[in-house]
Amino acid sequence: MWLELDSDELTRGRLMPSVLLCVDPSLLQGAGSLDAVGHRFDDCAPSLQAALSALSSEPLAPEARADLQRCFEALPAGGRIVHIGFMVTRHPTVLKLFAAMDKEQVLGYLDAIRWPGSLAEAASLIDTFGAGPDTFRVDLTIGAGLLPRLGLEFASRRGADPERRALIDRCVEQGLCTPEKREALLSWSGSTREVIPGYARPVRLSRWLDLKIVHRPPEPREAKAYLGFMFHFSLLG
């Protein structure tokens, strides 16, 4: 489970996080298998309904439930739903769905789930920004029904990642990122040994960077960067 806090909520002194539930067993098991077991809608529906009941007073509309079920059932071979997000700070509550699949499967999937956006625009988005990893996550939004908003999320890889710079360079070329922010982002990833107050030994601080390109008509395209970090003990320095 992940918690997400929007900055405008923090500035108003409110701490009402949105909640993202992991529904991909392979992540919990540390496995790389794309086995579809556990990705059927009927397997996940009780947990999703319980979460929605606990987090929001608004029931899931029948059209939204049908769209959500279709997003599960239309998964291509090897595809999987990774997270379901409950954006409870928005009214009415919005669901976010993160599906992982190979990039050549994305357009067929969007067509199969009856995504209301432009497939031509989605193809342009993939052609422009999807020249790197073969697999990425598709970020979909469900309100009263499936919305035309579309996000392509590129997760960081361990070690050297030249595709990361190429993707950020394309964001600069497209006017989605300034050169100054590009340099700041490129300097983020890596690891250092840090001394943390209260810890007897130094710890290793690992930093990574995830990127997302968002298409939200009629608004212009948007690039988002997620700065990740984790402390862990390292006996070898």
Side-chain angles (χ1 to χ4, degrees):
M1 180 172 67
W2 300 77
L3 300 180
E4 179 178 307
L5 291 166
D6 291 336
S7 60
D8 59 342
E9 295 293 320
L10 293 174
T11 56
R12 290 199 293 265
R14 299 175 58 192
L15 290 175
M16 182 61 182
S18 296
V19 177
L20 282 74
L21 297 180
C22 177
V23 294
D24 180 4
S26 68
L27 289 185
L28 301 177
Q29 298 163 2
S33 171
L34 299 186
D35 190 349
V37 174
H39 292 89
R40 295 181 305 173
F41 178 75
D42 289 344
D43 294 334
C44 299
S47 296
L48 298 178
Q49 184 58 52
L52 186 64
S53 298
L55 296 169
S56 174
S57 60
E58 302 163 353
L60 192 62
E63 182 179 351
R65 179 184 174 88
D67 285 338
L68 181 60
Q69 182 170 357
R70 190 162 53 251
C71 288
F72 274 83
E73 294 175 347
L75 283 170
R80 63 201 193 278
I81 304 298
V82 182
H83 290 96
I84 300 289
F86 299 84
M87 320 309 284
V88 294
T89 60
R90 305 175 192 181
H91 299 285
T93 298
V94 170
L95 298 185
K96 297 284 290 295
L97 181 145
F98 301 86
M101 66 191 67
D102 290 343
K103 61 186 176 186
E104 65 267 18
Q105 298 173 322
V106 173
L107 293 181
Y109 179 67
L110 294 177
D111 187 42
I113 63 175
R114 303 173 203 164
W115 179 64
S118 165
L119 290 178
E121 181 64 28
S124 173
L125 203 68
I126 295 170
D127 289 342
T128 303
F129 299 100
D134 292 331
T135 300
F136 46 70
R137 293 182 185 178
V138 178
D139 172 2
L140 299 166
T141 304
I142 299 177
L146 189 60
L147 301 177
R149 179 189 178 280
L150 175 67
L152 300 181
E153 182 177 322
F154 302 86
S156 180
R157 297 182 176 184
R158 293 184 180 273
D161 190 358
E163 294 171 349
R164 185 69 32 189
R165 179 169 192 120
L167 178 57
I168 298 175
D169 284 343
R170 286 194 293 276
C171 290
V172 173
E173 293 167 1
Q174 296 290 318
L176 306 182
C177 177
T178 65
E180 293 77 14
K181 287 186 177 181
R182 170 180 56 190
E183 298 309 313
L185 291 172
L186 291 173
S187 69
W188 172 257
S189 298
S191 66
T192 55
R193 196 160 172 79
E194 303 285 348
V195 177
I196 305 298
Y199 285 81
R201 298 185 180 88
V203 298
R204 175 66 59 181
L205 171 62
S206 297
R207 302 182 304 275
W208 66 90
L209 178 67
D210 293 342
L211 298 171
K212 184 192 293 184
I213 310 299
V214 178
H215 166 63
R216 187 179 55 186
E219 302 296 327
R221 292 174 178 177
E222 182 181 19
K224 295 185 177 183
Y226 298 85
L227 307 180
F229 65 93
M230 179 180 292
F231 291 110
H232 55 90
F233 292 101
S234 174
L235 297 178
L236 301 179

